[in-house]
Amino acid sequence: MSVYSAGGTSRYITESVNRFDQKNEFFKRARWDSSLKDEAERFYGTVCPRDKQGYKLKDLALRDAAWYIEDAFGHGCRIHNQGMLSWETLSKEQRCIPADLRLDTTDAKATSQDVKRVAILFGASLVGITELNRTWIYSHTYDALTHEHKEFDLPGEYRYAIVLAFQMDYNLVRTSPTWLAQATEGVEYSRMPFTTSMLAQFIRNLGYKAIPSANDTAISIPLAVDAGLGELGRNGLLITKKFGPRVRIAKVFTNLHLKPDNPIEFGAMQFCSICKKCADNCPRQAISSGERSTKPHNISNAENQLKWPVNAERCFSFWSNNEGSCMNCVRSCPFNKPHGRIHDSVRWLIARTRLLDSTFVKIDDLLRYDRKVLSDYWAGE
Ligand code: SF4
Ligand code: SF4
């Protein structure tokens, strides 16, 4: 159970939570669960272009190119401590800074500001810090390539998680579930090893330890909630104040003494109890339109958490059929909208009163913000 804040993840933890086995995370499960064999083969297998806007050769080429850095050098969707996400610092020959130098960091607030400034310079859109709640570290790891499954822990000296959110392109997300939408997802997954490895190296250069991490090592969303980046939504995703769920999350673990941020609340979780747009726009009814529940759908849901559990089996069956991912539950979320006077005013009101929630949902419906919009990304088509 979170002991690090009054808000944050303690808002939805009901009892003590067992650490989650990475083998049961759905993308790992699809690699070993024989009941998912056909769907997994379609999802992970060769994909051919279709004669349909958003699914043509250029769309597919863009999507796969966007994932290139993650697939070739990052491996953060596969397993920890590989490629650019290595836990090792550069060798003595590769560094110009003497190894025995160490920055005096008695002012944790100033150090945290420096770290955040560097994270933004290196490509993060949002940065928060939390004292690491070890509940969110995987109990076991599962290598999607070698199928190696083993007990896991992170050394206790890594007391802090710097959590980074990367915003995805609004117009491309609006094309979900096409392959065009997946290009912006791939870009941000490729940005993760780039940004987190450089941030980790910056911290190592100050004389401290740091581990860069994408989807590996620990569950990102609760860490992001505790680090003050947002709230947990009905769609099972982090809802940030600035970009809604239109983000991807990575983190850096460190022993550098930092000042944790407070979790934030801006009405998102309450708004979700009225708004069901993600559930309505899900092609497989994988998102609950009822009340929050502690009851898991299957082994891919964590237990003892009062939230809207997403049925990953249904979700994946659509992804398989689509031969690619889907972001309808991001696209349709009213918090997804870009910065602007009207949208910012609505966000401001949602943070202060519950009285207008259903009106805002109706206006959003009326203006069809949730609909799929196929952008003219490729001019001339
Ligand atoms: S990704 Fe698509 S299929 Fe999966 S839960 Fe979201 S809307 Fe449903
Ligand atoms: S679409 Fe509505 S219900 Fe779903 S996460 Fe967004 S605000 Fe919550």
Side-chain angles (χ1 to χ4, degrees):
M1 181 161 175
S2 173
V3 293
Y4 296 90
S5 64
T9 50
S10 64
R11 293 170 76 199
Y12 61 87
I13 304 295
T14 56
E15 296 171 45
S16 78
V17 172
N18 291 328
R19 285 166 54 195
F20 195 73
D21 185 338
Q22 192 186 20
K23 190 176 181 182
N24 294 332
E25 180 259 291
F26 206 83
F27 296 102
K28 305 295 178 297
R29 207 179 130 197
R31 302 284 188 174
W32 59 264
D33 187 336
S34 56
S35 70
L36 301 167
K37 189 170 173 279
D38 293 345
E39 288 178 347
E41 271 173 12
R42 189 166 163 87
F43 181 74
Y44 289 115
T46 305
V47 176
C48 293
R50 304 178 197 167
D51 187 19
K52 189 176 170 185
Q53 203 179 354
Y55 293 90
K56 295 184 180 176
L57 177 59
K58 278 196 289 190
D59 305 311
L60 186 56
L62 182 72
R63 177 187 92 171
D64 281 21
W67 277 92
Y68 178 73
I69 301 290
E70 157 57 15
D71 289 343
F73 307 108
H75 313 300
C77 290
R78 193 193 114 204
I79 192 70
H80 61 283
N81 198 9
Q82 295 287 319
M84 289 170 76
L85 297 175
S86 164
W87 292 14
E88 299 301 318
T89 187
L90 292 173
S91 67
K92 210 163 69 179
E93 292 69 37
Q94 292 169 305
R95 295 178 63 185
C96 60
I97 303 176
D100 56 351
L101 288 187
R102 198 173 219 218
L103 183 79
D104 173 13
T105 56
T106 40
D107 187 344
K109 189 174 170 194
T111 312
S112 301
Q113 281 168 353
D114 290 343
V115 162
K116 288 180 182 181
R117 188 173 297 125
V118 171
I120 297 288
L121 172 71
F122 289 165
S125 309
L126 302 170
V127 193
I129 294 168
T130 181
E131 196 163 352
L132 177 60
N133 183 342
R134 304 183 68 82
T135 301
W136 309 122
I137 301 170
Y138 287 125
S139 64
H140 298 71
T141 55
Y142 181 81
D143 189 324
L145 195 67
T146 63
H147 305 284
E148 188 180 27
H149 180 228
K150 55 183 184 188
E151 261 187 66
F152 178 72
D153 212 348
L154 200 61
E157 63 188 313
Y158 291 93
R159 279 190 57 203
Y160 300 95
I162 305 158
V163 189
L164 318 168
F166 299 86
Q167 67 155 319
M168 293 183 285
D169 182 272
Y170 177 69
N171 289 318
L172 286 178
V173 167
R174 293 192 89 188
T175 70
S176 170
T178 71
W179 294 341
L180 258 182
Q182 292 151 35
T184 186
E185 182 188 31
V187 170
E188 301 318 322
Y189 271 106
S190 282
R191 207 183 304 275
M192 287 180 198
F194 175 85
T195 302
T196 58
S197 61
M198 291 198 298
L199 182 60
Q201 193 56 39
F202 169 70
I203 293 169
R204 292 164 185 156
N205 289 346
L206 300 177
Y208 294 84
K209 293 189 176 175
I211 290 176
S213 166
N215 276 8
D216 56 283
T217 310
I219 311 173
S220 296
I221 293 176
L223 290 173
V225 169
D226 282 339
L229 292 187
E231 297 184 56
L232 182 68
R234 179 185 289 275
N235 52 10
L237 302 173
L238 175 76
I239 311 284
T240 65
K241 203 168 171 184
K242 202 166 172 187
F243 308 112
R246 190 167 40 86
V247 293
R248 296 288 154 179
I249 310 164
K251 57 268 182 195
V252 172
F253 303 103
T254 183
N255 66 347
L256 174 66
H257 183 46
L258 296 170
K259 183 176 181 305
D261 291 294
N262 292 322
I264 56 169
E265 290 177 27
F266 50 97
M269 197 185 261
Q270 290 101 322
F271 190 84
C272 285
S273 57
I274 302 283
C275 167
K276 295 168 183 172
K277 294 180 82 76
C278 51
D280 294 342
N281 278 277
C282 176
R284 286 288 193 277
Q285 292 80 48
I287 300 173
S288 160
S289 47
E291 298 297 315
R292 289 193 293 159
S293 163
T294 54
K295 200 165 167 274
H297 288 294
N298 50 60
I299 56 168
S300 293
N301 293 118
E303 292 184 322
N304 297 334
Q305 302 190 23
L306 183 63
K307 51 190 189 182
W308 294 279
V310 174
N311 189 329
E313 290 175 2
R314 289 189 184 182
C315 175
F316 191 70
S317 91
F318 180 74
W319 288 35
S320 165
N321 194 49
N322 196 37
E323 294 177 300
S325 70
C326 159
M327 279 193 277
N328 286 13
C329 47
V330 177
R331 182 195 85 201
S332 57
C333 180
F335 287 101
N336 160 42
K337 298 186 189 75
H339 165 71
R341 204 151 41 92
I342 295 174
H343 300 325
D344 292 349
S345 305
V346 172
R347 279 190 270 257
W348 189 86
L349 284 163
I350 289 172
R352 282 160 184 80
T353 174
R354 301 273 58 82
L355 291 175
L356 296 168
D357 285 357
S358 51
T359 307
F360 289 142
V361 175
K362 280 184 194 138
I363 294 172
D364 203 275
D365 279 342
L366 209 65
L367 298 176
R368 298 293 321 279
Y369 272 115
D370 57 351
R371 76 190 192 285
K372 172 172 141 185
V373 179
L374 263 180
S375 74
D376 56 355
Y377 187 79
W378 306 109
E381 276 194 54

